């Protein structure tokens, strides 16, 4: 288990990407369409800043009905958004305010999706912080044998899911609420 107490900030980030339930968009061709991130002060576990942007996809510019219904992201929102390189420049500028941070996401999907999109756009990986799988960390710190989805984890700790599930910024805020359990500062009542 990674020791997260050595960091001043915890970046909790969640991505949404192009997707399809018909198999027309392959996993390795999915593209990020939203970055939602919250910066959490490590001592207090309070959210001190937020970052959100939509991203205009270039491989499959038209969102599938499944994707729109899953994420609640509209075609207009992505069409008016910056493309990946410009969005990453904005993210990096925002991150530059927070030295000594760790980057956490629920599972490894977000980390891998950044790798994939950065490679496609010929850019270096956008986040210089070390990455931690918060889903794994949650299970490890709470002594759970299985890994839970974010919504299930919130239910386990009796916290209501706020906003829209599968919207990057809302999921990032919800994941941040799980940090006391992820960091082993609180224990599940069993």
């Amino acid at each position: 288990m990674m020791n997260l107490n050595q960091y001043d900030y915890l970046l909790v980030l969640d991505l949404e990407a192009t997707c399809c339930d018909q198999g027309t968009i392959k996993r390795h061709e999915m593209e990020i369409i939203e970055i939602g991130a919250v910066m959490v002060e490590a001592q207090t576990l309070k959210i001190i800043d937020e970052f959100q942007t939509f991203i205009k996809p270039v491989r499959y510019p038209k969102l599938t009905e499944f994707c729109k219904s899953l994420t609640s992201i509209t075609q207009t929102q992505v069409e008016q958004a910056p493309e990946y390189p410009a969005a990453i420049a904005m993210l990096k500028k925002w991150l530059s305010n927070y030295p000594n941070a760790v980057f956490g996401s629920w599972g490894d999907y977000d980390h891998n999706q950044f790798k994939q999109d950065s490679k496609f756009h010929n850019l270096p990986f956008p986040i210089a912080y070390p990455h931690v799988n918060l889903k794994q960390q949650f299970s490890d710190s709470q002594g759970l044998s299985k890994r839970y989805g974010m919504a299930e984890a919130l239910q386990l700790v009796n916290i209501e899911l706020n906003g829209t599930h599968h919207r990057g910024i809302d999921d990032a805020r919800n994941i941040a609420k799980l940090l006391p359990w992820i960091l082993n500062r609180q224990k599940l009542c069993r």
Side-chain angles (χ1 to χ4, degrees):
M1 217 162 60
M2 191 188 235
N3 175 15
L4 302 179
N5 296 319
Q6 61 193 331
Y7 299 100
D8 297 326
Y9 303 102
L10 306 166
L11 168 67
V12 178
L13 185 139
D14 189 76
L15 302 174
E16 300 306 326
T18 52
C19 53
C20 175
D21 58 347
Q22 307 291 313
T24 54
I25 299 177
K26 304 284 178 263
R27 170 71 200 90
H28 66 277
E29 292 180 340
M30 289 167 64
E31 292 173 273
I32 299 168
I33 55 172
E34 184 191 10
I35 300 172
V38 295
M39 193 60 72
V40 176
E41 192 178 57
Q43 287 293 307
T44 62
L45 299 187
K46 296 248 184 301
I47 294 175
I48 52 166
D49 203 356
E50 295 190 345
F51 176 90
Q52 190 277 338
T53 184
F54 295 111
I55 297 178
K56 184 179 193 168
V58 291
R59 286 176 171 176
Y60 294 93
K62 193 158 171 33
L63 298 182
T64 63
E65 288 308 313
F66 171 76
C67 187
K68 289 188 281 191
S69 110
L70 178 72
T71 63
S72 79
I73 296 170
T74 66
Q75 188 63 41
T76 306
Q77 285 171 316
V78 294
E79 280 172 6
Q80 294 172 346
E83 287 186 4
Y84 185 78
I88 289 307
M90 292 173 358
L91 174 67
K92 288 172 89 158
K93 184 177 189 304
W94 180 71
L95 291 174
S96 69
N97 299 308
Y98 303 101
N100 191 29
V102 63
F103 154 39
S105 59
W106 200 258
D108 288 324
Y109 161 78
D110 306 82
H111 189 255
N112 293 334
Q113 191 62 47
F114 264 138
K115 276 188 194 164
Q116 184 173 298
D117 284 48
S118 296
K119 186 176 176 192
F120 178 76
H121 288 278
N122 252 335
L123 293 170
F125 190 82
I127 301 172
Y129 312 146
H131 178 256
V132 60
N133 176 334
L134 298 176
K135 182 193 243 183
Q136 175 74 53
Q137 193 93 8
F138 175 78
S139 292
D140 291 352
S141 69
Q142 296 301 318
L144 301 167
S145 55
K146 74 169 248 192
R147 294 190 198 163
Y148 292 86
M150 181 205 71
E152 293 174 294
L154 286 166
Q155 283 177 331
L156 278 178
V157 302
N158 286 320
I159 293 179
E160 208 174 309
L161 190 150
N162 285 43
T164 305
H165 192 17
H166 299 299
R167 268 300 309 281
I169 190 64
D170 291 340
D171 284 354
R173 289 174 185 142
N174 282 307
I175 294 165
K177 290 189 225 165
L178 290 164
L179 285 171
W181 291 271
I182 293 167
L183 298 172
N184 213 3
R185 294 185 194 177
Q186 285 192 36
K187 280 288 185 200
L188 285 174
C189 302
R190 297 190 199 196

